[in-house]
Amino acid sequence: MVENNTTAASNASTSLQKAINVNVMVVQVLIGIFLSINFLLILTFFRREIFYTNARYILFAHTLLADSLFLILTNVLLNLIYFRITMPAWLCLIICTVLIVLTFVTPLTLTAMSLERYVAICMPLRHGELSTPRGAIHCIFIIHSLSSIQAIITDSMFFASVPLVFYVQYRLCTLEMLVIHPWQGHLTSAVSQFYFLVMSVTIVFIYVKIMSVAKEASVENKTSTSKGLRTVILHGVQLILCLIQLWCPFVETAIIQIDLRLYIDVRYFNYIVFFLAPRCLSPLVYGLRDEKFYHALKEIIFCGFRRKKVFV
């Protein structure tokens, strides 16, 4: 009887390990694809003056850079956890702080890009005055300042809760390491929900305003207005997915107490849908749907292919 139980446990463990192996490999492939696409788009951005002198494209490039760094860091942590590699707590703290900031950078940038579309459609006379490269740089500075608030709160609570000796200890690096007491999780959750509320209300406001302008727009303006409306809708979907990820840790914490296998499956699903998916929508919204960017991207790809062909 004992042998049967041991064999069953061993088989279950082997099955679980195989599932984790497959999941990790799929993530590596997806992240490789997304990073390659982002690299092409960033290269396209810097190869054309029309892009890096336009506020809308500057914000787009900022999103690509932030998303790429986020994907790289989360993938590094995923592999470190998978191979059970520990690191000093102080280094983990730095990486987690950067990840917390980047977690909020993307939704805040999407909100700023939606506001830019609102100004372009609903306040066209002021668009040239407000949407400038200098304005975009100032906006990026504000975005990073707002994104840092959550990180500052989390780090302050962490510093107040652990002794100095903790920082030199070697540990598996996860964001959960920063939550020492339950009340810390509740406070960071409250801040996250406040961000969620403000950004959601902003997107809904922009959507309603653009809808009202679309109804009153002339035939000539209907095309650009409807395109702007679709862009805002895509930003809204992307923003919702980014904001749902703020809820993921609380769902996962509840599930891990029920079943380890279910926890691994749910965490994998959350990472693919709420972490990777919204960051692959950015290339779709501007990289492929935007006519100027699409033609510039196609030109760079085909020029590179032709050059290789000539050298061969």
PDB file of all heavy atoms in Angstrom, residues 208-226:
ATOM      1  N   VAL A 208     -16.547  58.187 -24.444  1.00  0.00           N
ATOM      2  CA  VAL A 208     -17.852  58.865 -24.576  1.00  0.00           C
ATOM      3  C   VAL A 208     -17.697  60.165 -25.351  1.00  0.00           C
ATOM      4  O   VAL A 208     -18.517  60.487 -26.235  1.00  0.00           O
ATOM      5  CB  VAL A 208     -18.455  59.129 -23.175  1.00  0.00           C
ATOM      6  CG1 VAL A 208     -19.679  60.039 -23.277  1.00  0.00           C
ATOM      7  CG2 VAL A 208     -18.829  57.814 -22.501  1.00  0.00           C
ATOM      8  N   LYS A 209     -16.659  60.947 -25.055  1.00  0.00           N
ATOM      9  CA  LYS A 209     -16.433  62.219 -25.744  1.00  0.00           C
ATOM     10  C   LYS A 209     -16.193  62.014 -27.237  1.00  0.00           C
ATOM     11  O   LYS A 209     -16.741  62.738 -28.080  1.00  0.00           O
ATOM     12  CB  LYS A 209     -15.247  62.950 -25.116  1.00  0.00           C
ATOM     13  CG  LYS A 209     -15.545  63.620 -23.785  1.00  0.00           C
ATOM     14  CD  LYS A 209     -16.509  64.773 -23.972  1.00  0.00           C
ATOM     15  CE  LYS A 209     -16.728  65.531 -22.677  1.00  0.00           C
ATOM     16  NZ  LYS A 209     -17.662  66.674 -22.860  1.00  0.00           N
ATOM     17  N   ILE A 210     -15.348  61.034 -27.585  1.00  0.00           N
ATOM     18  CA  ILE A 210     -15.055  60.784 -28.993  1.00  0.00           C
ATOM     19  C   ILE A 210     -16.296  60.268 -29.717  1.00  0.00           C
ATOM     20  O   ILE A 210     -16.539  60.593 -30.882  1.00  0.00           O
ATOM     21  CB  ILE A 210     -13.874  59.797 -29.146  1.00  0.00           C
ATOM     22  CG1 ILE A 210     -12.585  60.446 -28.628  1.00  0.00           C
ATOM     23  CG2 ILE A 210     -13.688  59.368 -30.593  1.00  0.00           C
ATOM     24  CD1 ILE A 210     -11.359  59.567 -28.708  1.00  0.00           C
ATOM     25  N   MET A 211     -17.119  59.468 -29.015  1.00  0.00           N
ATOM     26  CA  MET A 211     -18.366  58.974 -29.595  1.00  0.00           C
ATOM     27  C   MET A 211     -19.294  60.133 -29.952  1.00  0.00           C
ATOM     28  O   MET A 211     -19.905  60.156 -31.027  1.00  0.00           O
ATOM     29  CB  MET A 211     -19.069  58.028 -28.614  1.00  0.00           C
ATOM     30  CG  MET A 211     -18.569  56.605 -28.670  1.00  0.00           C
ATOM     31  SD  MET A 211     -19.087  55.729 -30.164  1.00  0.00           S
ATOM     32  CE  MET A 211     -20.833  55.572 -29.864  1.00  0.00           C
ATOM     33  N   SER A 212     -19.391  61.111 -29.041  1.00  0.00           N
ATOM     34  CA  SER A 212     -20.262  62.260 -29.306  1.00  0.00           C
ATOM     35  C   SER A 212     -19.744  63.087 -30.473  1.00  0.00           C
ATOM     36  O   SER A 212     -20.521  63.582 -31.303  1.00  0.00           O
ATOM     37  CB  SER A 212     -20.385  63.132 -28.047  1.00  0.00           C
ATOM     38  OG  SER A 212     -19.128  63.679 -27.694  1.00  0.00           O
ATOM     39  N   VAL A 213     -18.414  63.219 -30.580  1.00  0.00           N
ATOM     40  CA  VAL A 213     -17.831  63.951 -31.706  1.00  0.00           C
ATOM     41  C   VAL A 213     -18.053  63.178 -33.008  1.00  0.00           C
ATOM     42  O   VAL A 213     -18.323  63.770 -34.054  1.00  0.00           O
ATOM     43  CB  VAL A 213     -16.320  64.201 -31.474  1.00  0.00           C
ATOM     44  CG1 VAL A 213     -15.649  64.730 -32.739  1.00  0.00           C
ATOM     45  CG2 VAL A 213     -16.120  65.168 -30.322  1.00  0.00           C
ATOM     46  N   ALA A 214     -17.968  61.848 -32.950  1.00  0.00           N
ATOM     47  CA  ALA A 214     -18.147  61.023 -34.149  1.00  0.00           C
ATOM     48  C   ALA A 214     -19.550  61.179 -34.724  1.00  0.00           C
ATOM     49  O   ALA A 214     -19.739  61.168 -35.948  1.00  0.00           O
ATOM     50  CB  ALA A 214     -17.870  59.558 -33.815  1.00  0.00           C
ATOM     51  N   LYS A 215     -20.549  61.327 -33.854  1.00  0.00           N
ATOM     52  CA  LYS A 215     -21.923  61.486 -34.329  1.00  0.00           C
ATOM     53  C   LYS A 215     -22.124  62.815 -35.047  1.00  0.00           C
ATOM     54  O   LYS A 215     -22.918  62.926 -35.985  1.00  0.00           O
ATOM     55  CB  LYS A 215     -22.891  61.389 -33.153  1.00  0.00           C
ATOM     56  CG  LYS A 215     -22.999  59.980 -32.578  1.00  0.00           C
ATOM     57  CD  LYS A 215     -23.954  59.942 -31.398  1.00  0.00           C
ATOM     58  CE  LYS A 215     -24.043  58.543 -30.811  1.00  0.00           C
ATOM     59  NZ  LYS A 215     -24.954  58.484 -29.636  1.00  0.00           N
ATOM     60  N   GLU A 216     -21.400  63.842 -34.588  1.00  0.00           N
ATOM     61  CA  GLU A 216     -21.566  65.172 -35.167  1.00  0.00           C
ATOM     62  C   GLU A 216     -20.578  65.468 -36.285  1.00  0.00           C
ATOM     63  O   GLU A 216     -20.674  66.503 -36.949  1.00  0.00           O
ATOM     64  CB  GLU A 216     -21.399  66.231 -34.063  1.00  0.00           C
ATOM     65  CG  GLU A 216     -22.406  66.091 -32.929  1.00  0.00           C
ATOM     66  CD  GLU A 216     -22.095  67.039 -31.779  1.00  0.00           C
ATOM     67  OE1 GLU A 216     -21.107  67.803 -31.911  1.00  0.00           O
ATOM     68  OE2 GLU A 216     -22.818  67.002 -30.765  1.00  0.00           O
ATOM     69  N   ALA A 217     -19.610  64.570 -36.502  1.00  0.00           N
ATOM     70  CA  ALA A 217     -18.555  64.828 -37.485  1.00  0.00           C
ATOM     71  C   ALA A 217     -19.111  64.820 -38.911  1.00  0.00           C
ATOM     72  O   ALA A 217     -20.074  64.121 -39.226  1.00  0.00           O
ATOM     73  CB  ALA A 217     -17.452  63.781 -37.362  1.00  0.00           C
ATOM     74  N   SER A 218     -18.492  65.616 -39.756  1.00  0.00           N
ATOM     75  CA  SER A 218     -18.870  65.648 -41.160  1.00  0.00           C
ATOM     76  C   SER A 218     -18.359  64.386 -41.854  1.00  0.00           C
ATOM     77  O   SER A 218     -17.594  63.618 -41.282  1.00  0.00           O
ATOM     78  CB  SER A 218     -18.283  66.888 -41.839  1.00  0.00           C
ATOM     79  OG  SER A 218     -16.866  66.863 -41.759  1.00  0.00           O
ATOM     80  N   VAL A 219     -18.779  64.194 -43.093  1.00  0.00           N
ATOM     81  CA  VAL A 219     -18.373  62.997 -43.831  1.00  0.00           C
ATOM     82  C   VAL A 219     -16.857  62.930 -43.965  1.00  0.00           C
ATOM     83  O   VAL A 219     -16.243  61.875 -43.848  1.00  0.00           O
ATOM     84  CB  VAL A 219     -19.029  62.991 -45.235  1.00  0.00           C
ATOM     85  CG1 VAL A 219     -18.555  61.779 -46.035  1.00  0.00           C
ATOM     86  CG2 VAL A 219     -20.539  62.998 -45.108  1.00  0.00           C
ATOM     87  N   GLU A 220     -16.202  64.077 -44.172  1.00  0.00           N
ATOM     88  CA  GLU A 220     -14.749  64.115 -44.346  1.00  0.00           C
ATOM     89  C   GLU A 220     -14.016  63.695 -43.082  1.00  0.00           C
ATOM     90  O   GLU A 220     -12.949  63.091 -43.123  1.00  0.00           O
ATOM     91  CB  GLU A 220     -14.287  65.520 -44.759  1.00  0.00           C
ATOM     92  CG  GLU A 220     -14.772  65.967 -46.136  1.00  0.00           C
ATOM     93  CD  GLU A 220     -16.203  66.488 -46.107  1.00  0.00           C
ATOM     94  OE1 GLU A 220     -16.739  66.669 -44.990  1.00  0.00           O
ATOM     95  OE2 GLU A 220     -16.787  66.701 -47.185  1.00  0.00           O
ATOM     96  N   ASN A 221     -14.585  64.066 -41.928  1.00  0.00           N
ATOM     97  CA  ASN A 221     -13.904  63.796 -40.664  1.00  0.00           C
ATOM     98  C   ASN A 221     -14.271  62.444 -40.049  1.00  0.00           C
ATOM     99  O   ASN A 221     -13.668  62.028 -39.072  1.00  0.00           O
ATOM    100  CB  ASN A 221     -14.213  64.894 -39.640  1.00  0.00           C
ATOM    101  CG  ASN A 221     -13.612  66.232 -40.049  1.00  0.00           C
ATOM    102  OD1 ASN A 221     -12.582  66.256 -40.711  1.00  0.00           O
ATOM    103  ND2 ASN A 221     -14.261  67.313 -39.682  1.00  0.00           N
ATOM    104  N   LYS A 222     -15.304  61.799 -40.622  1.00  0.00           N
ATOM    105  CA  LYS A 222     -15.776  60.553 -40.017  1.00  0.00           C
ATOM    106  C   LYS A 222     -14.709  59.460 -40.043  1.00  0.00           C
ATOM    107  O   LYS A 222     -14.596  58.676 -39.107  1.00  0.00           O
ATOM    108  CB  LYS A 222     -17.035  60.063 -40.729  1.00  0.00           C
ATOM    109  CG  LYS A 222     -18.304  60.759 -40.254  1.00  0.00           C
ATOM    110  CD  LYS A 222     -19.505  59.875 -40.425  1.00  0.00           C
ATOM    111  CE  LYS A 222     -20.756  60.609 -39.949  1.00  0.00           C
ATOM    112  NZ  LYS A 222     -20.780  60.707 -38.489  1.00  0.00           N
ATOM    113  N   THR A 223     -13.914  59.414 -41.121  1.00  0.00           N
ATOM    114  CA  THR A 223     -12.897  58.369 -41.236  1.00  0.00           C
ATOM    115  C   THR A 223     -11.859  58.480 -40.130  1.00  0.00           C
ATOM    116  O   THR A 223     -11.561  57.512 -39.430  1.00  0.00           O
ATOM    117  CB  THR A 223     -12.197  58.443 -42.604  1.00  0.00           C
ATOM    118  OG1 THR A 223     -13.179  58.342 -43.629  1.00  0.00           O
ATOM    119  CG2 THR A 223     -11.178  57.315 -42.745  1.00  0.00           C
ATOM    120  N   SER A 224     -11.297  59.687 -39.966  1.00  0.00           N
ATOM    121  CA  SER A 224     -10.271  59.880 -38.927  1.00  0.00           C
ATOM    122  C   SER A 224     -10.859  59.719 -37.537  1.00  0.00           C
ATOM    123  O   SER A 224     -10.215  59.179 -36.632  1.00  0.00           O
ATOM    124  CB  SER A 224      -9.628  61.258 -39.077  1.00  0.00           C
ATOM    125  OG  SER A 224     -10.588  62.272 -38.897  1.00  0.00           O
ATOM    126  N   THR A 225     -12.102  60.180 -37.345  1.00  0.00           N
ATOM    127  CA  THR A 225     -12.742  60.063 -36.038  1.00  0.00           C
ATOM    128  C   THR A 225     -13.002  58.606 -35.671  1.00  0.00           C
ATOM    129  O   THR A 225     -12.730  58.173 -34.546  1.00  0.00           O
ATOM    130  CB  THR A 225     -14.067  60.841 -36.016  1.00  0.00           C
ATOM    131  OG1 THR A 225     -13.832  62.201 -36.358  1.00  0.00           O
ATOM    132  CG2 THR A 225     -14.702  60.790 -34.632  1.00  0.00           C
ATOM    133  N   SER A 226     -13.522  57.827 -36.637  1.00  0.00           N
ATOM    134  CA  SER A 226     -13.795  56.415 -36.370  1.00  0.00           C
ATOM    135  C   SER A 226     -12.499  55.645 -36.126  1.00  0.00           C
ATOM    136  O   SER A 226     -12.450  54.733 -35.301  1.00  0.00           O
ATOM    137  CB  SER A 226     -14.567  55.797 -37.535  1.00  0.00           C
ATOM    138  OG  SER A 226     -13.810  55.872 -38.729  1.00  0.00           O
TER     139      SER A 226
END
